[in-house]
Amino acid sequence: MTTAGPCHPVAEAPVVRTAAGAVRGRMEGDLAVFRGIPFAESPVGQGRFGAPKPAQAWDGVRATNAFGPPPPQDASFQSESGELEVPTGDNWLTINVWTPDADAEARRPVMVWIYGGAYKLGHAGSPGYDAQHLARAGDLVVVTFNYRVGIEGFARIDGAPANRGLLDQVAALEWVQENITAFGGDPGQVTVFGESAGAGSIASLLAMPSARGLFRRAIAQSVPGTFFSDELARDIATEIAAEAGLPATAAALSTVAPQSLTSASQVLGARMRQYEGRWGQAASTVTPFSPVVDGEVLPCTPWQALQAGAARDVELLVGHNRDEWRLFLVMGGEVGKIDEKQAAWALRTFGPGPDSERAYGVAFPDASPSELYERVQTDWLFSRPSLNLAEAQISGGGQAHVYELTWSAPGYGGLLGACHGLDVPLLFGTYQADLGQLLFADSGVPAEAEALGVHLRSSWTAFARTGDPGWPTYDTASRQTQVLDVEPQVQPYPEEVSRQLWKGYDFPALPLLN
């Protein structure tokens, strides 16, 4: 100990030796925190658009008190109050650790967070991902990291491996296996968890041969159903490159500054609906990026892989929010403005078959056009893929726990419902950061939100420690589901009407139509 006065002891800054060199973090209360540790070389210069390479070793002790810079991304990376203050630079691939005890003998469970952001934005240093509450709630080690997004991470271009963002995730998990013991973690007790594109990434990791053995458990929150066929992904990348006046090759695109390419993808993203005849459902999403079923990095869709038993040894917790699409309705200013024509378009575009418009009308006879518009997009993009992942896991010989979040966010006068992203501030306890500023706008944080957040942290960390979040596993007979509300309870899966409508739909990789 050093001291700052006779009655105020200050803990020494913790030093840990990693495979690449020693790092010095700092004590934040009872946690040792390390930020911005390189887990791979900066993917610039000769390494641009390449697979990640291990970080080069360094001499001496490296200070790790600040998050690394975010990867190049969509300009919508901002808080509700304006642009986030983030570090700059090209050392995008860094990792962060919160630990109760940086002691190699501690062997605590490890939770590794993978952020969402439509595969086009995100940063582990976002205030909403402050992991201190989780680390304390579970007395475990929490890890977050950056991975490439957008063109740098997911565009399917010639001369570069597919799914570079997913390969970054594998590299981070390999770093955890090699180094986490020194931070007090147990490499045999690693749980990956993530939301939205982070959950889609986890679904991908479950299917990827290169990720086998890197984690024991997985928590997937609101899994998106969008995976691109190789042909579709190449066609989209060709159009993005054309916006920059270049061919879709690694050699050509490497000559352009990353932000210029990000701008090109934003221009295309704003007019994707023009390509509906060519790109089908993909043209009506909010992003031109998704994991690519390329046959090598990602051999098949996650549902196909799990049905074949690829992840039967991984314990899975998966679920979704009741009103996922409501967030996009509110943010797009569309609440109360959806007419029958728009609802009919959504049902035809996103429904599970050619008769979807009639089928949804029969199944939900009292629903308004806006409710049908929202319901089918919630089903197609998040709720059905999430449940299908659980059922595929069971079909392949594994087990899964299922949840649905039904508690409504108080922001915007209660219009948001149990919308997409609500689980993140509840889980991290970061109610006034990032998306939490919208979800809890002008309402403060109700006591029931605090209580539900404590419940989520308890369940998630218990699962990371034991594989049991506190409710029964899901099966196709009783369909027991944890419903997360003011009073959490276990009951048969609540969205049975939608489940029946989508029965037999396998969420194939989205095709190139012509």
Side-chain angles (χ1 to χ4, degrees):
M1 290 284 191
T2 57
T3 59
C7 300
H8 301 283
V10 177
E12 293 182 357
V15 175
V16 169
R17 179 160 294 280
T18 73
V23 294
R24 178 183 289 111
R26 66 184 180 196
M27 294 303 300
E28 298 182 6
D30 55 349
L31 295 175
V33 183
F34 303 79
R35 295 180 174 90
I37 306 171
F39 70 84
E41 283 296 293
S42 301
V44 296
Q46 293 296 318
R48 183 97 177 266
F49 299 112
K53 297 179 179 179
Q56 291 186 1
W58 58 83
D59 296 324
V61 180
R62 186 179 190 126
T64 54
N65 296 328
F67 291 113
Q73 59 191 266
D74 192 303
S76 61
F77 177 61
Q78 60 184 342
S79 69
E80 288 299 302
S81 57
E83 291 291 328
L84 290 171
E85 292 185 8
V86 295
T88 58
D90 56 21
N91 190 20
W92 309 326
L93 302 182
T94 58
I95 203 162
N96 320 293
V97 181
W98 287 255
T99 178
D101 189 1
D103 178 356
E105 302 299 318
R107 294 279 175 155
R108 285 175 167 84
V110 181
M111 295 184 73
V112 181
W113 172 251
I114 303 178
Y115 54 73
Y119 306 106
K120 65 179 181 179
L121 55 88
H123 174 217
S126 294
Y129 305 145
D130 183 346
Q132 61 172 308
H133 301 300
L134 268 172
R136 291 190 177 105
D139 188 32
L140 42 69
V141 179
V142 183
V143 174
T144 69
F145 63 89
N146 286 347
Y147 63 93
R148 283 172 285 181
V149 295
I151 289 182
E152 303 293 329
F154 288 96
R156 186 68 169 108
I157 56 178
D158 288 339
N163 300 305
R164 296 171 298 281
L166 298 179
L167 294 177
D168 292 346
Q169 296 170 18
V170 170
L173 290 168
E174 290 173 338
W175 184 94
V176 168
Q177 287 296 310
E178 186 174 15
N179 294 286
I180 206 64
T181 299
F183 293 86
D186 182 353
Q189 287 268 76
V190 173
T191 298
V192 290
F193 69 124
E195 183 264 350
S196 195
S201 295
I202 288 169
S204 301
L205 293 170
L206 290 168
M208 290 169 57
S210 61
R212 299 265 163 81
L214 296 180
F215 52 93
R216 180 174 178 179
R217 301 183 178 104
I219 304 174
Q221 305 167 210
S222 302
V223 180
T226 50
F227 286 76
F228 290 171
S229 68
D230 200 57
E231 297 77 14
L232 173 65
R234 287 182 182 277
D235 200 57
I236 292 174
T238 297
E239 292 297 329
I240 295 173
E243 288 288 344
L246 295 166
T249 67
L253 295 175
S254 293
T255 66
V256 179
Q259 196 53 53
S260 295
L261 297 182
T262 299
S263 297
S265 68
Q266 287 180 253
V267 170
L268 180 75
R271 56 180 178 83
M272 283 182 66
R273 285 284 294 276
Q274 297 177 19
Y275 295 85
E276 195 168 4
R278 208 159 101 200
W279 298 344
Q281 292 171 320
S284 299
T285 65
V286 298
T287 176
F289 305 107
S290 278
V292 181
V293 180
D294 66 306
E296 184 177 350
V297 176
L298 184 58
C300 58
T301 67
W303 300 274
Q304 292 171 321
L306 267 60
Q307 285 172 350
R312 64 166 61 100
D313 295 329
V314 177
E315 294 166 303
L316 176 64
L317 191 163
V318 60
H320 60 85
N321 303 348
R322 183 189 60 206
D323 310 310
E324 297 272 9
W325 194 256
R326 188 80 56 80
L327 175 69
F328 306 102
L329 274 178
V330 171
M331 293 182 71
E334 295 182 306
V335 174
K337 299 179 181 179
I338 301 300
D339 59 26
E340 291 185 1
K341 183 178 179 180
Q342 290 170 293
W345 168 83
L347 291 165
R348 290 193 305 270
T349 301
F350 300 112
D355 195 34
S356 294
E357 189 175 350
R358 185 200 63 82
Y360 263 81
V362 171
F364 299 98
D366 299 323
S368 68
S370 183
E371 289 167 338
L372 290 172
Y373 179 88
E374 176 189 330
R375 180 75 263 162
V376 71
Q377 294 191 77
T378 287
D379 286 346
W380 175 73
L381 191 54
F382 296 114
S383 66
R384 297 313 94 217
S386 298
L387 186 69
N388 279 22
L389 196 72
E391 295 191 339
Q393 174 74 335
I394 294 164
S395 176
Q399 67 176 34
H401 293 82
V402 172
Y403 74 88
E404 182 181 34
L405 175 62
T406 59
W407 184 79
S408 293
Y412 272 74
L415 284 176
L416 289 159
C419 67
H420 187 65
L422 176 58
D423 45 317
V424 175
L426 289 171
L427 178 61
F428 281 90
T430 50
Y431 302 99
Q432 300 301 328
D434 300 342
L435 186 59
Q437 295 177 88
L438 170 69
L439 301 178
F440 294 88
D442 304 319
S443 68
V445 183
E448 60 190 41
E450 296 274 13
L452 185 54
V454 169
H455 182 82
L456 258 69
R457 288 190 288 278
S458 176
S459 297
W460 267 226
T461 57
F463 179 78
R465 186 174 294 280
T466 68
D468 181 2
W471 67 88
T473 55
Y474 183 91
D475 62 61
T476 54
S478 62
R479 305 190 187 280
Q480 294 298 288
T481 301
Q482 172 76 307
V483 177
L484 296 165
D485 213 314
V486 176
E487 294 292 337
Q489 59 180 310
V490 177
Q491 65 183 68
Y493 182 65
E495 311 300 338
E496 180 63 13
V497 174
S498 287
R499 191 189 72 80
Q500 289 290 344
L501 282 170
W502 289 78
K503 194 172 183 178
Y505 190 85
D506 62 358
F507 287 90
L510 299 180
L512 178 66
L513 299 182
N514 56 57

